Amino acid sequence: MAATPLQKALAALQVEIDAGYLYQQLSQLEDDPNLAETFRKLGAVEQRHAEHAWQKVQSQGYTGAKPSVSGRARVLSWLGKRFGPQFVLPH
């Protein structure tokens, strides 16, 4: 069965929420100040994307709570803390 537009919008929202969280976490783990600042900026961009996606979901009639950071993103953050930021970044 194909996903509905609302399901697609909710999935996109989750991606943005998770990306913003991960970039913010990586910014705190990164030793290189320039790279840490880049992660902070990327996190802020993703948070803005999440707000836009949230508005889109609401405009489609969604009345539930705003999703929180996923377990997957939390595990990736933990892995970054354990093995370093580069571990969770795409190669």
Side-chain angles (χ1 to χ4, degrees), residues 7-55:
Q7 289 170 325
K8 289 179 183 179
L10 281 166
L13 171 59
Q14 189 66 62
V15 168
E16 300 296 351
I17 289 169
D18 288 351
Y21 170 80
L22 280 172
Y23 279 127
Q24 290 301 324
Q25 294 298 306
L26 292 175
S27 74
Q28 296 172 18
L29 299 172
E30 182 55 53
D31 292 331
D32 178 337
N34 292 325
L35 193 50
E37 180 62 19
T38 298
F39 287 148
R40 272 190 288 282
K41 288 178 181 178
L42 288 169
V45 167
E46 295 300 340
Q47 288 172 350
R48 286 192 300 275
H49 289 169
E51 286 306 314
H52 177 73
W54 177 236
Q55 291 172 1

